[in-house]
């Protein structure tokens, strides 16, 4: 059973502890999802390219490989969601991290061919939340066996498997689309990636939460 399927079968706290990811149901009502979609569409002209070609282990313990996408700064709808108290309480309960605090969010724009190579998020992203705003956004790659990896280990993985690794030990995590749920994952503690986008465009809300 893959990680996403296992996480859906387990109680939320157990899923988080065993798999590093959990889907929280009933936290994003349809009107709020629609408002997020409309806000992102209205702010496409504000996109800033996010492009780099290096592979590096950073001082905070995070790891990066090449990336090509764009970031749209948050508008008021996304800001309100990122700092939403009921969502924060649900995340704290599901993860067992009582001092989790929000750090804000953005919308990631992928156009055909855009990608994010294997990486881990900033140490300030103890929990990352992703919300697909397009129905055909492919799942992201996920390495459940690479828990708390260091940069040297991840560099070895990239050297052996490439920055979009495939194989029995790697899996994928889909993002729910407009069903009231959101996916949370341990972005700093597990390696993940997004292969080149095969469709015209995709929008993904991303929000980060830090353990004090």
């Amino acid at each position: 059973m893959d990680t996403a399927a296992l996480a859906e079968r387990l109680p939320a706290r157990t899923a988080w502890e065993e798999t590093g990811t959990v889907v929280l149901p009933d936290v994003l009502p349809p009107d709020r999802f629609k408002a997020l979609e409309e806000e992102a569409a209205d702010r496409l002209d504000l996109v800033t390219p996010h492009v780099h070609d290096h592979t590096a282990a950073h001082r905070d313990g995070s790891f990066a490989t090449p990336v090509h996408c764009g970031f749209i700064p948050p508008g008021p709808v996304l800001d309100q969601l990122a700092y939403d108290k009921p969502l924060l309480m649900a995340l704290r309960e599901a993860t067992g991290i009582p001092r989790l605090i929000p750090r804000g969010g953005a919308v990631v724009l992928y156009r055909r061919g855009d990608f994010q190579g294997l990486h881990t998020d900033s140490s300030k992203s103890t929990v990352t939340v992703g919300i697909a705003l397009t129905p055909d956004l492919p799942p992201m790659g996920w390495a459940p066996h690479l828990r708390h990896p260091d940069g040297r280990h991840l560099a070895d993985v990239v050297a052996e498997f490439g920055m979009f690794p495939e194989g029995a030990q790697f899996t994928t995590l889909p993002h729910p689309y407009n069903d009231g749920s959101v996916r949370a994952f341990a972005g700093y503690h597990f390696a993940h990636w997004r292969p080149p986008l095969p469709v015209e465009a995709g929008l993904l809300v991303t929000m980060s939460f830090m353990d004090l």
Side-chain angles (χ1 to χ4, degrees):
M1 183 180 297
D2 65 23
T3 300
L6 176 61
E8 290 178 3
R9 285 174 171 260
L10 296 172
R13 181 77 62 82
T14 304
W16 180 262
E17 292 174 353
E18 294 190 6
T19 68
T21 183
V22 64
V23 173
L24 300 179
D26 305 320
V27 294
L28 186 63
D31 59 339
R32 204 164 198 179
F33 180 86
K34 183 178 180 181
L36 279 173
E37 281 188 310
E38 292 175 347
E39 181 175 82
D42 288 344
R43 296 171 68 83
L44 286 174
D45 59 338
L46 300 179
V47 65
T48 299
H50 180 55
V51 178
H52 67 70
D53 298 316
H54 67 273
T55 296
H58 299 143
R59 289 185 178 182
D60 69 351
S62 61
F63 180 81
T65 58
V67 57
H68 195 293
C69 60
F71 279 90
I72 301 171
V77 177
L78 178 50
D79 272 338
Q80 289 170 11
L81 179 63
Y83 291 90
D84 181 72
K85 288 186 178 179
L87 175 59
L88 178 61
M89 293 301 104
L91 285 168
R92 287 176 173 175
E93 174 63 25
T95 62
I97 306 174
R99 298 191 303 172
L100 202 65
I101 61 168
R103 295 188 57 251
V107 178
V108 188
L109 170 64
Y110 296 96
R111 299 194 185 279
R112 185 181 293 275
D114 281 355
F115 61 87
Q116 287 202 46
L118 184 145
H119 66 282
T120 54
D121 295 339
S122 160
S123 61
K124 295 180 180 180
S125 296
T126 310
V127 177
T128 305
V129 170
I131 306 168
L133 295 184
T134 45
D136 52 357
L137 184 69
M140 70 180 189
W142 182 252
H145 64 296
L146 297 179
R147 183 187 291 261
H148 306 296
D150 62 31
R152 181 175 298 179
H153 187 188
L154 291 181
D156 290 342
V157 171
V158 172
E160 181 176 358
F161 296 97
M163 62 181 186
F164 311 121
E166 296 181 349
Q169 66 269 56
F170 305 107
T171 185
T172 60
L173 292 183
H175 297 289
Y177 174 75
N178 196 18
D179 65 357
S181 67
V182 303
R183 176 174 296 284
F185 57 96
Y188 175 67
H189 294 301
F190 287 82
H192 50 286
W193 59 96
R194 191 169 300 280
L197 191 74
V199 297
E200 284 303 310
L203 290 169
L204 177 73
V205 168
T206 180
M207 299 179 290
S208 61
F209 297 81
M210 180 181 179
D211 181 11
L212 284 179

